[in-house]
Structure formats: structure tokens, C-alpha cells
Amino acid sequence: MLLAEFENLLKQAMGLDAASIGSRSIARAVQKRLAECKLEGLREYWKLVSTSESERQELIEAVVVPETWFFRDREAFTGLVRIVQEDCPASRAQSPLRLLSLPSSTGEEAYLIVMALLDAGLTVERFRVDGIDISRRALALAERAVYGKNSFRGNDLDFRERYFEATAKGYRLSDHVRRQVRFQAGNLFAADFMLDVESYDVVFCRNLLIYFDRATQKRAIKILERLLRPQGVLFVAPSETGLLLSHEFISANLPLAFAFRRPSVNASGKQTEAMAQARVASLRRGRMTQPATNPKPIRAFSASALSTAISLPVIAAAGEPKMAMDEAARLADQGRFVEAAKCCETYVLKNGPSAQAFHLMGLVRDATGNHPEATTYYRKALYLDPDHHEALIHLALLMEQQGSAAGARALRDRARRVEQKHKA
Ligand SMILES: C[S@@+](CC[C@H](N)C(=O)[O-])C[C@H]1O[C@@H](n2cnc3c(N)ncnc32)[C@H](O)[C@@H]1O
């Protein structure tokens, strides 16, 4: 019995790409369940898991990564408030705003949406949040709403004083926040997944797409598109942004929020006028107003360090120590941009220029609103690897923001050709 069969089962069941968490994690989960079921060998366990739905769910519980915490990417919540205030005036009071946290894991994200909106002055009748996750165990914790230290990271914990009560078991969330969220078990890839629900104004789908391969990500994005109303807003994690852009989602132009508007197309497949207007408005807003959080450009890279790096010989992609770059990407995913940037700098100084490192350095600059440096790094990445899909997509977006529609189109065309090449 090969581990690959279990990996394949998990991919079919929940979309999981074994490479995203590593085959070893899957092997550990299988061994854990095998021991808990008191079975002798893999063959016996395979028989059970491939015929019993409840055991399949247990295996899923053993592999999921429920890691989450309050204010994972603070700016997403600042961005949410801004979108709600601009898009949903009081005239909408008759129909409450619909928001979705998918996957909600143990509930921190869904509850933080509620706290952010209450802090912004919305009354409880004006909005409703749904939290969906495949893990019933995570959802049970979400409903309990008592959180330990691990859920409160960073120093800005003022919200904890206002919305939680310290108890012997942990911090207990106020009932009026709890009541705003309805949790429900759901698998994004189930055939009947949320078929009959009214569409959402806002969907948070953060740190889920990273667990899927490209084809599965595409399926997931189609489902998310169905769940969003036209021009509804989708929030993703920093490393998931490239994906959205390659599906024609449009940046909501909120620095560091990683928010995108659903494309709305008419019957002929063209963008509607309303959509085009929204896009122009959002671009103008992006240029004419200060970022909500006034992020400081990161200065972790000195000009001299970079010029040294550029003059070093190019290292072939296959020889790159993947782990260092994985670590940098992980830090960027967590919003720890200064550390991610430092990690890339060290990497480049040690190993020489790398498309992957330059792309990530661009992403970090982009995320903090430093567009000129972001452009430079994306170009450096493309110089080293003209087929770097994400660098092509991110640079296209920047060019669009800077008003260079033709340049952006050319880059998107190149990105499409790269995709076709990979498919072939
Ligand atoms: C890392 S957490 C993300 C939580 C939160 N959105 C955040 O960004 O902090 C990933 C969650 O995805 C859930 N998940 C994985 N595959 C899923 C699927 N196919 N459908 C629904 N939820 C899924 C897992 O159970 C886990 O709780």
C-alpha cells in the first residue's frame, strides 16, 4: 500500500496538495489514525478509510492545519472597514451585509470581522458573518470562543480588553460578538457546497488556496466567484494575490489588505461599464489617498548590498536552497514583511541573484506601497526568469495602477503564454 494512495484520497476529498504540507505530515496523520483505530497495517486502514465517511473525516481532522490568530494581517481588517464604509451606505440598512470567513478554522478571523465592524460603528442588525470550515474540531472551538495566548499575538491587544473576559480557562469572548457569527461545517469541494445560499458582499478566504495545486486553486476560485455578489470583495493571504490577478480579479487598492473585487462580466464576456467605473474609482482612490495605515517603506536592503548582489553570477533555479525561500515566503504570508525582506537579502548575498528572491522582494515592497522599488524587483526577477508567472502578473497590476494599460496587457499575455506552456 503506497502513501500516494492516501495522498490522492485527500486530494479528491478536500483538494489538499501533498507537496504543500509535505508527504511526511500526511504519513504521520495516517500512522496516527491507524494507531487510534488499533489496526495492524496500512492495507487494513486503507480499507476502512476508503469505505467509511466518518473515518475519512477523522483523517482530514488529522491533516488540517488550523493555525490562525486574531489580527493575522491587521490591514485586511482596516481595509474591510474602509470597503464597508465606502460601498455600503446607511441606505442599505434594510438588507444586512453578508460576510463569509472560509475557512474560519477556530473562529478568530470571523470574530475579528465582527469586532472590526462594531468598532467602525455598525450596529448588529446591519451585518451577519458566516464561518465555514471542513474541520468539525476547529468549529467546536470556534463556537466555544474561549482563547489562549496563542490566539493573541503581537502587542496591540486593546481589543482583548474590550471584547473578552479573562477566565481560568482563557479569554472568553463577549456574547454579543459570538451571536453575530454562525458557524457551519463545509467542504469547499463538496458537490453541494453552498449551492442555495444568497451571495456574499465580502468573503475572507485566506490561507486556504496555498494548500492546493494550480488546477485545484482554479476550481476553488470559481467557487469563490460564485459565492460573491458582482463587485463583492475577496480577501486572500499575501502569497495568494498572484492567483487572483491571473483570474482577472481586480485589486481593491487597499495597501496590505490583499483584497480583490469579483470581476463582473456581461453576456458577451466584456467588463460591464459599472465594473470599469469601479475600477477607475478604485485606482484613483489608490493614487490620491494615503494608505489606511501609512506603512513605512521597508529599508532592509541597502543600495550597495543590492548592487553587489546583482553583479554576482546567476545561480540556476534547481540549485537554490529551497528552504530559505520557503521561510521567506512563510514570513511574508504572516505579514512579517521586514523579516521576510531580511531573509531574502541574506539569501541573495549568500547565493547570488535569484528570480524567486527578487519576486518576493518585489512583493514585500508592493505590499507596503513602495511601488517604484516593487517594479524594479519584479523586473529583476523577470530578467533572470522571463517565465516567472507571478512576477509577470504582479508587474502587470502595478503597470495598470500606473496607467500603462498596454504594458500591463502585454505582461498578462506573456503570463497566459507561460500558463499554456506549462499545461503543454
Ligand atoms: C491555516 S487555516 C486558515 C484560517 C484563517 N482563514 C486564517 O487565515 O488565519 C486553514 C483552514 O482551512 C481548512 N480547510 C482545509 N481544506 C478545506 C476545504 N476543502 N474546505 C473547507 N475548509 C478547509 C482547515 O480545516 C483549516 O482550518
Side-chain angles (χ1 to χ4, degrees):
M1 175 61 37
L2 287 173
L3 182 63
E5 296 187 51
F6 290 94
E7 293 181 356
N8 194 35
L9 179 130
L10 286 166
K11 182 160 185 190
Q12 300 306 320
M14 60 185 292
L16 180 68
D17 174 22
S20 70
I21 58 168
S23 289
R24 255 199 240 160
S25 305
I26 295 184
R28 263 198 305 274
V30 169
Q31 284 302 336
K32 177 174 178 277
R33 284 308 302 154
L34 199 143
E36 283 167 356
C37 295
K38 299 192 176 34
L39 293 175
E40 290 289 298
L42 283 184
R43 220 166 264 288
E44 237 184 305
Y45 182 60
W46 173 256
K47 230 189 236 171
L48 176 67
V49 81
S50 54
T51 51
S52 155
E53 208 168 299
S54 66
E55 183 49 41
R56 202 154 47 238
Q57 179 65 26
E58 288 299 333
L59 182 59
I60 288 174
E61 296 285 354
V63 291
V64 289
V65 184
E67 179 81 348
T68 185
W69 60 93
F70 290 106
F71 279 124
R72 186 177 196 175
D73 303 322
R74 175 170 290 273
E75 289 75 10
F77 300 90
T78 319
L80 168 70
V81 166
R82 198 157 142 192
I83 279 172
V84 166
Q85 286 170 339
E86 287 178 7
D87 286 14
C88 311
S91 59
R92 269 205 54 165
Q94 292 308 311
S95 59
L97 268 177
R98 288 175 48 74
L99 303 105
L100 173 66
S101 165
L102 163 70
S104 59
S105 188
T106 41
E108 286 89 333
E109 182 179 87
Y111 288 136
L112 198 51
I113 292 174
V114 176
M115 291 183 259
L117 296 183
L118 291 177
D119 277 356
L122 265 77
T123 52
V124 290
E125 310 77 49
R126 293 219 25 222
F127 68 96
R128 181 85 210 159
V129 181
D130 288 333
I132 307 277
D133 200 283
I134 199 170
S135 166
R136 294 204 164 89
R137 230 163 267 165
L139 291 173
L141 292 172
E143 283 184 340
R144 182 166 165 259
V146 178
Y147 293 98
K149 272 198 205 124
N150 219 18
S151 295
F152 301 96
R153 304 184 194 179
N155 301 321
D156 195 357
L157 297 177
D158 157 63
F159 72 102
R160 192 170 71 187
E161 308 305 313
R162 289 181 291 115
Y163 290 107
F164 292 81
E165 180 198 349
T167 71
K169 290 187 175 153
Y171 291 90
R172 189 179 177 282
L173 184 63
S174 313
D175 284 344
H176 75 291
V177 177
R178 284 180 60 188
R179 279 195 295 267
Q180 283 301 106
V181 185
R182 185 176 48 190
F183 289 105
Q184 211 183 321
N187 175 358
L188 185 71
F189 297 111
D192 57 352
F193 182 69
M194 299 184 94
L195 285 180
D196 51 359
V197 296
E198 200 187 314
S199 56
Y200 288 90
D201 299 286
V202 174
V203 173
F204 272 65
C205 182
R206 303 186 319 146
N207 300 296
L208 177 63
L209 300 171
I210 41 170
Y211 295 108
F212 307 147
D213 65 15
R214 203 164 267 273
T216 313
Q217 285 170 337
K218 279 190 176 172
R219 277 171 62 208
I221 288 168
K222 284 272 162 240
I223 297 164
L224 294 170
E225 229 178 298
R226 161 168 71 74
L227 293 175
L228 271 170
R229 70 162 167 81
Q231 297 190 48
V233 178
L234 175 62
F235 285 84
V236 293
S239 64
E240 296 162 338
T241 56
L243 265 170
L244 273 292
L245 295 170
S246 59
H247 283 76
E248 310 290 335
F249 269 74
I250 293 160
S251 169
N253 254 296
L254 297 163
L256 290 167
F258 310 106
F260 296 84
R261 284 193 189 274
R262 199 198 102 162
S264 66
V265 288
N266 61 20
S268 67
K270 298 248 165 60
Q271 278 194 4
T272 63
E273 204 175 315
M275 192 63 195
Q277 277 168 3
R279 178 184 185 76
V280 170
S282 103
L283 288 176
R284 276 165 55 85
R285 203 169 52 232
R287 283 203 215 105
M288 292 167 66
T289 59
Q290 283 295 310
T293 50
N294 262 338
K296 290 192 182 66
I298 292 170
R299 296 276 163 234
F301 302 88
S302 68
S304 62
L306 273 174
S307 56
T308 314
I310 305 304
S311 63
L312 288 170
V314 175
I315 299 221
E320 288 177 358
K322 192 174 166 293
M323 270 167 61
M325 289 316 301
D326 285 352
E327 175 62 6
R330 192 182 64 78
L331 291 167
D333 283 351
Q334 292 178 357
R336 292 157 66 185
F337 295 113
V338 176
E339 287 155 277
K342 281 211 173 104
C343 198
C344 289
E345 181 187 25
T346 310
Y347 176 89
V348 168
L349 287 173
K350 214 166 139 196
N351 301 292
S354 135
Q356 218 182 329
F358 285 144
H359 168 250
L360 202 56
M361 286 154 89
L363 208 61
V364 167
R365 301 302 197 283
D366 206 347
T368 50
N370 187 344
H371 292 164
E373 282 188 20
T375 304
T376 306
Y377 283 119
Y378 291 148
R379 286 198 188 287
K380 286 183 198 301
L382 289 171
Y383 175 75
L384 294 179
D385 176 4
D387 283 357
H388 197 294
H389 186 263
E390 289 208 306
L392 285 167
I393 293 292
H394 282 121
L395 187 56
L397 177 74
L398 272 185
M399 295 194 77
E400 255 163 29
Q401 286 177 348
Q402 286 153 10
S404 172
R409 210 173 311 117
L411 286 162
R412 277 188 195 275
D413 287 346
R414 261 175 76 182
R416 235 166 260 136
R417 282 197 295 275
V418 170
E419 268 179 46
Q420 278 156 7
K421 202 156 101 183
H422 283 307
K423 261 189 224 149

